[in-house]
Amino acid sequence: MVGFAIALVPTPEGLSGAAWSYFALFVTVMVAIITEPVPAPVVGLAGVVGAAMLGLVQPTPALSINWALGGFSNPLAWLIFSTVVLASGYEKTALGRRIALRLIRRLGRRTLGIGYAIALTDLALAPFTPSNTARSAGTIYPVIRNIPGLFDSSPETQPRRIGAYLMYTALAATCVTSSMFPTAIAGNLLAVAIVADTLHVDIGWREWVIGFAPVGLVLLLVTPFILYRMYPPSLTHAPDAPEW
């Protein structure tokens, strides 16, 4: 309804009718993405198809089709798609969960060791998961949420015993790993595209990783220890975690 209301308004001076209609369609897509009457990908695809069919961007049908399909020729779009496919495999095969459990089993006799297990798990998943929300909330959190309960630590009961430290470590670690790989969050790939368009500098996956590795690896190694000192858990040994 918002888009129709805008389209019915007389075209402002200096704009063509197609430009004003395109603006109305754009607002419609944005409102639909926010309100989510249908999944966001469906909304986006419908907006592209609508703009092409109505001839709002290009003057001929052939050019409109080329415009509509142009985004699918972008290598960054396919890179995001491939990482999403790999991330789905991590989830469906429970590979991410197995990595987390194995690291906790090997490093989890001390609370600091569990912190490093969390950071290393995030590092293992980051190159193939272009969403830190999916990585942290979808894979890591379901595993580590069970550990504080072994020691009667919860947001309501003794949170500083172990649970608060583990959650803060997970949050801080994913902030570091999200910067280490261009495919760790979708925003990194958008930044690569903006740099390529504005500065004409192409940053490949390898160049990004090598360039950030000296800082990223140091941050990843010190983050669990710094949090252990700044926000120390009262429980320093966790012998039940590896057994669990």
Side-chain angles (χ1 to χ4, degrees):
M1 296 299 294
V2 176
F4 283 114
I6 294 175
L8 293 176
V9 174
T11 302
E13 185 177 355
L15 290 180
S16 65
W20 186 244
S21 297
Y22 185 84
F23 172 69
L25 178 63
F26 174 79
V27 172
T28 301
V29 171
M30 291 299 102
V31 171
I33 288 177
I34 295 171
T35 57
E36 295 186 0
V38 294
V42 176
V43 175
L45 183 60
V48 171
V49 172
M53 292 182 63
L54 296 174
L56 302 181
V57 180
Q58 297 293 343
T60 66
L63 291 176
S64 295
I65 293 175
N66 290 337
W67 172 84
L69 298 178
F72 298 99
S73 65
N74 189 323
L76 289 178
W78 287 104
L79 181 59
I80 295 174
F81 172 76
S82 63
T83 53
V84 169
V85 170
L86 289 172
S88 298
Y90 267 81
E91 179 183 357
K92 292 185 179 298
T93 62
L95 179 58
R97 175 180 172 84
R98 295 200 302 275
I99 291 173
L101 292 174
R102 286 182 177 274
L103 286 172
I104 291 171
R105 187 173 67 181
R106 292 183 177 275
L107 304 175
R109 295 192 178 279
R110 298 177 62 89
T111 304
L112 180 60
I114 301 178
Y116 276 101
I118 292 171
L120 292 174
T121 300
D122 207 310
L123 177 66
L125 300 178
F128 315 105
T129 312
S131 169
N132 51 8
T133 303
R135 186 165 66 251
S136 298
T139 301
I140 297 175
Y141 175 74
V143 175
I144 65 173
R145 65 175 294 199
N146 296 282
I147 297 175
L150 300 175
F151 307 98
D152 194 27
S153 177
S154 69
E156 297 79 20
T157 306
Q158 305 184 85
R160 290 294 299 272
R161 192 173 191 190
I162 188 173
Y165 167 72
L166 297 184
M167 296 305 166
Y168 269 121
T169 300
L171 173 64
T174 198
C175 291
V176 175
T177 58
S178 293
S179 302
M180 294 181 67
F181 306 95
T183 48
I185 56 173
N188 291 345
L189 295 173
L190 178 60
V192 170
I194 293 174
V195 170
D197 291 339
T198 58
L199 302 179
H200 306 292
V201 175
D202 294 323
I203 303 176
W205 195 93
R206 182 182 301 177
E207 287 79 11
W208 180 299
V209 174
I210 294 175
F212 196 81
V215 176
L217 291 176
V218 171
L219 286 175
L220 195 69
L221 289 174
V222 302
T223 293
F225 180 76
I226 290 177
L227 288 174
Y228 189 80
R229 292 297 186 183
M230 294 179 60
Y231 201 70
S234 59
L235 183 70
T236 59
H237 290 75
D240 292 339
E243 183 179 352
W244 167 79

